[in-house]
């Protein structure tokens, strides 16, 4: 499934082409980087949510790419 980067108020955000999943990266208050994968309940494969922290922006962007590449749809 294709992903498209969309405008985000903070950090960066990608939406899956069908609109049922989002991956986002933002700097957290403590200086680390939060990466989230959020798939809606309405998605054909069901809902899923995962959040991890990474020490650097580069590591966070790599993790975001992994989420998009490993998306089960």
């Amino acid at each position: 499934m294709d992903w498209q980067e969309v405008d985000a108020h903070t950090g960066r955000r990608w939406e899956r082409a069908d609109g049922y999943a989002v991956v986002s990266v933002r700097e957290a208050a403590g200086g680390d980087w939060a990466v989230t994968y959020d798939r809606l309940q309405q998605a054909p494969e069901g809902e899923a949510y995962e959040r991890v922290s990474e020490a650097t922006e580069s590591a966070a962007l790599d993790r975001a790419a992994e989420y998009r590449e490993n998306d089960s749809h």
Side-chain angles (χ1 to χ4, degrees), residues 17-62:
D18 65 3
Y20 288 129
V22 173
V23 173
S24 62
V25 172
R26 66 174 180 80
E27 188 172 13
D32 58 338
W33 291 82
V35 185
T36 57
Y37 170 77
D38 190 6
R39 190 173 63 218
L40 298 176
Q41 183 177 10
Q42 298 88 341
E45 63 274 46
E47 69 181 318
Y49 180 84
E50 188 170 343
R51 181 191 184 278
V52 296
S53 294
E54 297 289 352
T56 66
E57 181 180 18
S58 177
L61 292 172
D62 288 346

Side-chain angles (χ1 to χ4, degrees), residues 3-30:
W3 290 81
Q4 179 178 356
E5 189 166 2
V6 296
D7 288 335
H9 295 289
T10 60
R12 295 176 69 178
R13 179 181 172 104
W14 296 264
E15 289 183 1
R16 198 166 76 177
D18 65 3
Y20 288 129
V22 173
V23 173
S24 62
V25 172
R26 66 174 180 80
E27 188 172 13

